[in-house]
Amino acid sequence: MFGYRVPAPNEAMLISGGNSKSAAPFRVVTGHGAFVMPVFRKVRFLTLAMCEAEVTEVCVTKQAIALTVRAVIAFKVGNDTESIVNAGQRFLSDQDQMSVLTGRIFAGHLRSIIGSMTVEEIITERQKLATEVLDGSAVEMAKIGLTVDALQIQSIDDMKLGYIAAMAAPHNAAIQRDAQIAQAVANKTAAEAEQESQRTQAEYARQTSIVQAKYRAEVEAAQAQASQAGPLAQAKAQQEVIDARTELAQREAELRQQQLVAEVIKPADAEAERIRILALAEAEKMRVQAEAAASNNRVALDRMLIDQLPQIVKEAGRGLAGANVNILNGADGLGEMAAGLVGQGLSILDSVKRGLTNPPAPTPAPEANGQLPKPGELTAS
């Protein structure tokens, strides 16, 4: 729109001209736009961005030792209307002068603060130095509409006097000593770590070798087993064939034995049994015939003895005929003698009968050859 102006986010728009209701010579607009009547109003812009100023100053300490101090100040125009008006009145025509003026203000306060401090305090308490410089310059910076965001002491130099180096020597020696000790400890630790690492690596290598040897042994065993699998399988197959043939031979032998028993032994046993039975029957027949013959012989013998008894008595009497025998009682004595002869004959007959009833162990009997004694062939003993 014609006549409407808008400032940048980091700028303040200063509108001058016309009747101003405030004590400020211009109207301040930030963060929004405003309608500016051409010809009757004039617009200028003041930066609100961060600015930087560097200060390098030779300062004398409380100990009269000259130090070169280098500092950096970060500042900007304040955000409030009063600060913008103060800064606009002083720097609107030449805004670069803000850095020059700020550096001069801080240089003066820096010399003043360092003059009240020793080198040791300045070296060891830089933050204290920066804080005191900021506090000392705050009022002056506010008057010109500026605010300081940060102050950084970048370097402190004694201009090759050696004071700072001498002051730092004990600390350097202690630090070096501690550094050497720390380095020795670090070296020892590193050596121990290296030794432990070497031991670990050696142990790992040993275990790896053992595992590899074990694996190699297993692989070789598997290969040997695989190489022997064929011959073993063939041998096993041959053994199975041999076992099968052996079993077949055993079965054939058993079958042959059964056939032999059925064809030879059993018929032979049957024939032997038949012969034994026939022999027993024949023996029984012969025994019965012998008993019958013996019975007939005894009857025949008794009869023969009875028939021969007069002859025995006669022969006995004949034996007495030539003997010189004296008979004392005449006819009675002769009768007694005759009776004695007859009694002897009867005794002989009884002896023969007992011999026939309880015969002694015979010599080969007539039954052995199947012949029976004929009547009259029996001999008494």
Side-chain angles (χ1 to χ4, degrees):
M1 183 181 292
F2 181 75
Y4 191 81
R5 306 294 296 273
V6 179
N10 59 348
E11 289 180 338
M13 187 170 64
L14 306 180
I15 302 174
S16 60
N19 296 324
S20 178
K21 297 180 182 180
S22 62
F26 44 78
R27 183 164 63 98
V28 178
V29 178
T30 58
H32 59 85
F35 182 78
V36 179
M37 185 178 295
V39 181
F40 297 100
R41 300 287 187 270
K42 188 175 183 179
V43 177
R44 303 287 297 273
F45 295 94
L46 179 66
T47 180
L48 301 179
M50 179 69 66
C51 299
E52 181 180 300
E54 292 187 2
V55 177
T56 301
E57 192 70 22
V58 177
C59 306
V60 179
T61 65
K62 185 179 180 180
Q63 300 155 311
I65 298 173
L67 299 177
T68 300
V69 180
R70 184 174 180 271
V72 177
I73 303 99
F75 67 95
K76 65 182 291 295
V77 176
N79 294 326
D80 59 287
T81 301
E82 182 180 0
S83 296
I84 293 173
V85 170
N86 292 335
Q89 290 178 342
R90 291 170 176 81
F91 307 110
L92 187 59
S93 60
D94 189 2
Q95 298 184 28
D96 293 337
Q97 289 297 316
M98 287 189 292
S99 297
V100 176
L101 182 59
T102 300
R104 291 174 180 175
I105 293 172
F106 273 88
H109 286 284
L110 193 61
R111 285 193 302 270
S112 175
I113 300 297
I114 289 178
S116 63
M117 299 176 66
T118 64
V119 177
E120 288 78 7
E121 291 174 346
I122 295 171
I123 296 298
T124 58
E125 299 179 5
R126 289 191 180 188
Q127 187 59 41
K128 178 182 176 181
L129 173 61
T131 302
E132 290 184 359
V133 172
L134 286 174
D135 293 340
S137 60
V139 177
E140 295 180 16
M141 294 292 289
K143 288 180 180 181
I144 61 177
L146 302 177
T147 60
V148 178
D149 289 341
L151 171 63
Q152 181 68 38
I153 306 297
Q154 290 188 334
S155 65
I156 299 173
D157 185 11
D158 61 359
M159 296 181 292
K160 298 182 181 181
L161 293 177
Y163 185 89
I164 295 177
M167 182 180 66
H171 300 286
N172 290 334
I175 290 172
Q176 291 178 1
R177 181 182 67 251
D178 295 340
Q180 292 175 356
I181 294 173
Q183 185 64 38
V185 173
N187 292 337
K188 179 181 178 182
T189 304
E192 293 176 352
E194 180 66 21
Q195 293 176 359
E196 182 65 23
S197 176
Q198 292 178 357
R199 285 195 296 269
T200 303
Q201 292 177 0
E203 179 64 21
Y204 178 77
R206 186 184 70 84
Q207 293 179 358
T208 302
S209 300
I210 293 174
V211 173
Q212 289 177 349
K214 182 178 178 181
Y215 287 163
R216 284 196 299 270
E218 292 178 355
V219 170
E220 292 175 357
Q223 291 177 349
Q225 185 176 2
S227 62
Q228 294 176 358
L232 288 176
Q234 184 177 2
K236 185 177 180 181
Q238 292 178 355
Q239 182 63 38
E240 291 178 354
V241 172
I242 293 173
D243 294 341
R245 290 180 178 176
T246 302
E247 184 177 0
L248 179 60
Q250 290 178 353
R251 291 183 179 180
E252 291 178 350
E254 291 176 358
L255 179 61
R256 180 60 183 167
Q257 184 177 5
Q258 292 176 0
Q259 292 177 351
L260 180 63
V261 170
E263 295 176 358
V264 179
I265 296 177
K266 286 188 177 181
D269 290 343
E271 181 65 20
E273 183 66 17
R274 186 182 67 80
I275 294 173
R276 187 180 66 81
I277 292 173
L278 291 176
L280 289 175
E282 184 66 22
E284 183 65 18
K285 175 182 177 181
M286 294 177 65
R287 186 184 65 77
V288 172
Q289 291 177 354
E291 288 181 356
S295 177
N296 293 331
N297 287 340
R298 282 196 299 271
V299 173
L301 181 60
D302 291 343
R303 182 173 295 177
M304 182 185 65
L305 290 176
I306 293 172
D307 292 340
Q308 295 295 329
L309 182 59
Q311 184 64 27
I312 293 172
V313 174
K314 181 179 179 179
E315 291 297 329
R318 185 181 298 173
L320 292 175
N324 187 13
V325 179
N326 293 320
I327 299 175
L328 298 177
N329 50 357
D332 295 333
L334 183 57
E336 292 176 359
M337 182 178 296
L341 293 173
V342 173
Q344 290 179 359
L346 294 175
S347 298
I348 292 171
L349 180 60
D350 291 335
S351 297
V352 172
K353 289 182 177 181
R354 284 195 301 272
L356 293 175
T357 304
N358 297 313
T363 57
E367 294 84 349
N369 53 13
Q371 297 180 357
L372 294 176
K374 297 179 179 180
E377 292 180 354
L378 182 63
T379 301
S381 58

